[in-house]
Amino acid sequence: MPQMPFTATAANAALMEHHTLARGWQLRDLFAQDPARAQTLSLEVAGLFLDYSKNRLDRSTIALLVRLAQECGVEKHREAMFAGERINTTEQRAVLHTALRAPRGQSLRLDGVDINAQVHAVLDRMAAFSERVRTGTWRGYSDLPITDIVNIGIGGSDLGPKMACQALRPYVHPRLTPHFISNADGHDLAALLPHLNPATTLFIVASKTFTTAETMMNAQTARAWFLRQHPHPADLEKHFVAASTNTEAVQAFGIAPENMFPFWDWVGGRYSLWSAIGLPVMLAIGAERFTHMLAGAHALDRHFQQAPLVQNMPVLLALIGIWNRNYFHDATLSIAPYHEDLKHFPAYLQQLEMESNGKQVNRDGVPLEACTCPVIWGDVGTNGQHAYFQLLHQGCDIVPVDFIAALKPSHDFPGHHTALLANCFAQSEALMLGKTSDEARNDLRAEGKSSEAIAALLPHKIFPGNRPSNTLLLDELSPARLGALIALYEHKTFVQGVIWGVNSFDQWGVELGKVLAKKIHAELADASVSNQHDSSTLGLIARARAVAPAKPDGGNISRAEPFP
Ligand code: G6Q
């Protein structure tokens, strides 16, 4: 049966009508009319507290949005995902990242294979390896323990582990420093390698396909650097391991099967943190804490599967996003973690949501009428306040915000954390309340300004308010809470994908990027190659050739001198 767009549901018609009322609501009035508003429009799950009361909605809006989710078959699709149906239809793949965090012994078979046993066998190997590295029994070629871990991967093979290692940095083993190299741009490797001792460095080549150009280039450069300083290929095995699904390519690179940690095609790149791609995280925080992260995510999985839609945190987060995007037409969503350790979280969500739901056709390939994923962006508070928050308060576009904070800090410097939380709460309050002309005038009078000064300044001091936000509070930023937080957004993304009608698990735009540059790369590397291009592209190629005459790519890392 062809897929029905959400715009054709009865719930959408009711929501459109409801929106004609809701768009006139003022949040400050809604709060004044209902003292229990925050209590009604909030919930707590797996150590995460979500207050969604500062959105332009009420309980009747939520009821209609839940109807929308039901009419779009969210429950049926959710069951299909957890059961291992091939819901990634363009690649004919199951989508089972939830199986990666299911406790040992849960029965889950895919094509007759017990994937729970497979998952735990790899987790056990990762744990044993991590234990050896962390205790120092895994030694480099000069019999010294490992001090630096360099993850070479990109996209889904980079953003998750990089975000998690930063988020959990208080838990990182004191002898180990994780590094992440992703870009084709050699500047990153050139800056890092001179600071590394090859004898105590472990490289993880992380690539699901083991064919991604950037990763392969960086891995080859790292390998060449290692061999230049220690010309003993037999010792590579002490310093290079892989996380991949492609055994042949890993072996061809020269990494032995026992140093490869596998995963499976039913794990999407951006959902792979929980698999062998999480190896740098496990090395950094230890297998036990990694298990806590998995358990936090699993707690959220169970909640997502079992809680009624109206009390289901990822479903609510998704529906609020749909309300903002498709009814209020807000084109972006800002992520504002008030926690320095979550500084890579906006970039992680950017990939999760935009790569999953940045689509223009539905699962049947039919062009969509309604908009899909908003632009996701953001940075940590309070830094954002001193930069782009101006636009959030007084700009022409309304930008919904997800504020994220942890109640307990992991440091004990007096005053800092209270100030941080105060800023976080004050921003969402100010965005919601705004400042009326009367309030602004009173403030200016209280400052002793003259009538002329008040008249001149007043328009600048008015804040429209009524700007929506969610606030997510974690009791602390522990491995378990981080796991729950990530799973929350994964399932939010899934629910939105179902309602928009897209396949959230393919990424043809990424595949395009993987082939596009090849033609021009050949022309830059070999002046005798020329293809047809527009005049702009030809001009750019000519400029690049004029500065750096074409030469075979060998990678120039002359700054990477041997460790003294
Ligand atoms: C994620 C995408 C993409 C992918 C990278 C790296 O969902 O598919 O970001 O993770 O392109 O791919 P490899 O892991 O295969 O190197």
Side-chain angles (χ1 to χ4, degrees):
M1 208 171 70
Q3 191 187 322
M4 184 175 66
F6 84 86
T7 45
T9 59
N12 175 63
L15 277 160
M16 300 271 283
E17 200 185 321
H18 180 71
H19 180 253
T20 60
L21 289 176
R23 71 180 176 212
W25 294 347
Q26 289 296 316
L27 281 168
R28 60 159 66 205
D29 298 339
L30 299 181
F31 274 98
Q33 286 155 14
D34 178 8
R37 181 175 168 85
Q39 220 178 332
T40 317
L41 301 177
S42 60
L43 77 164
E44 188 161 9
V45 174
L48 310 180
F49 172 76
L50 170 66
D51 178 343
Y52 58 98
S53 62
K54 292 191 183 90
N55 282 289
R56 299 155 293 182
L57 49 74
D58 68 5
R59 283 170 72 171
S60 64
T61 322
I62 294 292
L64 289 174
L65 286 165
V66 166
R67 247 178 70 193
L68 180 72
Q70 284 162 336
E71 288 181 28
C72 291
V74 164
E75 288 142 310
K76 186 187 78 190
H77 284 273
R78 179 185 60 191
E79 298 326 316
M81 176 175 71
F82 278 93
E85 287 181 31
R86 288 181 158 66
I87 61 168
N88 176 356
T89 46
T90 60
E91 296 177 301
Q92 277 305 307
R93 286 180 183 162
V95 173
L96 277 169
H97 47 279
T98 51
L100 297 168
R101 53 235 190 179
R104 197 183 296 271
Q106 268 203 357
S107 137
L108 185 54
R109 302 188 85 79
L110 186 67
D111 300 332
V113 175
D114 178 352
I115 63 167
N116 182 268
Q118 273 188 331
V119 164
H120 282 276
V122 176
L123 283 172
D124 288 345
R125 279 190 53 215
M126 289 164 62
F129 175 65
S130 301
E131 185 64 9
R132 290 182 67 194
V133 172
R134 289 167 60 84
T135 54
T137 50
W138 179 281
R139 301 215 157 222
Y141 62 78
S142 66
D143 208 32
L144 287 170
I146 298 298
T147 57
D148 293 85
I149 295 157
V150 183
N151 190 79
I152 298 179
I154 194 165
S157 301
D158 167 65
L159 289 161
K162 179 164 134 184
M163 177 272 292
C165 281
Q166 171 77 19
L168 301 175
R169 60 182 171 165
Y171 302 89
V172 172
H173 191 287
R175 181 175 22 85
L176 297 173
T177 306
H179 309 271
F180 291 86
I181 294 293
S182 54
N183 204 328
D185 184 346
H187 287 107
D188 232 11
L189 262 185
L192 174 66
L193 292 178
H195 300 288
L196 298 178
N197 178 354
T200 60
T201 298
L202 177 74
F203 291 94
I204 303 173
V205 187
S207 175
K208 180 175 169 180
T209 55
F210 228 76
T211 56
T212 304
E214 293 93 326
T215 302
M216 292 305 110
M217 189 190 287
N218 283 325
Q220 292 292 357
T221 303
R223 191 177 187 274
W225 169 83
F226 178 90
L227 288 175
R228 256 203 308 281
Q229 288 159 91
H230 181 72
H232 300 278
D235 283 337
L236 281 168
E237 65 178 26
K238 299 188 177 99
H239 298 273
F240 280 79
V241 301
S244 185
T245 60
N246 187 345
T247 316
E248 290 80 40
V250 169
Q251 271 184 281
F253 181 85
I255 293 176
E258 60 272 22
N259 290 342
M260 169 180 162
F261 298 89
F263 58 110
W264 308 273
D265 75 354
W266 43 263
V267 183
R270 56 195 171 276
Y271 299 88
S272 62
L273 167 66
W274 324 97
S275 71
I277 292 293
L279 184 61
V281 186
M282 194 190 271
L283 284 163
I285 67 171
E288 196 183 335
R289 290 192 182 114
F290 191 83
T291 309
H292 295 164
M293 189 176 88
L294 298 180
H298 181 66
L300 224 294
D301 293 343
R302 287 173 59 90
H303 165 77
F304 177 49
Q305 271 188 295
Q306 292 168 358
L309 298 188
V310 73
Q311 287 153 22
N312 197 307
M313 196 183 278
V315 173
L316 288 170
L317 208 53
L319 292 174
I320 293 163
I322 299 258
W323 181 234
N324 288 335
R325 178 72 178 120
N326 296 106
Y327 298 89
F328 282 97
H329 305 294
D330 298 330
T332 84
L333 169 67
S334 185
I335 307 296
Y338 274 63
H339 204 309
E340 196 63 27
D341 294 354
L342 285 174
K343 78 170 176 194
H344 298 311
F345 196 60
Y348 176 80
L349 288 189
Q350 232 164 20
Q351 181 189 29
L352 176 64
E353 299 203 23
M354 291 168 75
E355 201 167 275
S356 298
N357 290 335
K359 312 275 164 76
Q360 56 174 354
V361 296
N362 74 7
R363 289 185 290 270
D364 298 332
V366 178
L368 292 165
E369 291 164 22
C371 293
T372 55
C373 190
V375 173
I376 309 288
W377 63 284
D379 197 359
V380 287
T382 60
N383 294 5
Q385 290 173 212
H386 298 266
Y388 51 77
F389 266 56
Q390 164 61 36
L391 183 148
L392 305 192
H393 287 288
Q394 290 185 306
C396 302
D397 293 296
I398 292 186
V399 179
V401 184
D402 281 2
F403 290 95
I404 305 171
L407 291 174
K408 271 192 269 166
S410 50
H411 62 80
D412 55 9
F413 296 124
H416 284 261
H417 207 66
T418 318
L420 183 72
L421 291 179
N423 273 280
C424 177
F425 303 162
Q427 287 297 321
S428 70
E429 185 178 41
L431 285 166
M432 180 273 282
L433 279 179
K435 195 182 269 189
T436 64
S437 150
D438 284 348
E439 287 165 346
R441 188 177 292 105
N442 288 342
D443 284 354
L444 289 166
R445 276 196 194 122
E447 287 169 27
K449 295 271 190 282
S450 67
S451 324
E452 294 74 34
I454 291 177
L457 278 173
L458 192 62
H460 303 279
K461 297 277 191 168
I462 294 169
F463 291 76
N466 214 31
R467 303 203 161 196
S469 67
N470 294 305
T471 300
L472 259 168
L473 296 179
L474 289 59
D475 46 5
E476 58 183 341
L477 186 52
S478 62
R481 299 302 176 251
L482 180 70
L485 180 70
I486 301 167
L488 169 66
Y489 277 94
E490 283 180 349
H491 294 320
K492 170 210 164 176
T493 303
F494 173 78
V495 171
Q496 291 191 330
V498 170
I499 293 174
W500 286 322
V502 302
N503 175 0
S504 301
F505 301 103
D506 60 11
Q507 55 282 316
W508 298 105
V510 181
E511 307 309 326
L512 173 72
K514 291 187 179 184
V515 294
L516 267 185
K518 281 192 181 151
K519 232 164 79 172
I520 296 179
H521 190 183
E523 290 169 271
L524 290 178
D526 178 353
S528 68
V529 180
S530 74
N531 292 303
Q532 288 218 320
H533 296 287
D534 57 87
S535 58
S536 163
T537 310
L538 283 173
L540 298 172
I541 292 172
R543 276 182 175 265
R545 274 187 182 154
V547 173
K551 59 173 184 229
D553 267 9
N556 175 8
I557 50 162
S558 54
R559 286 165 59 202
E561 296 304 329
F563 193 78

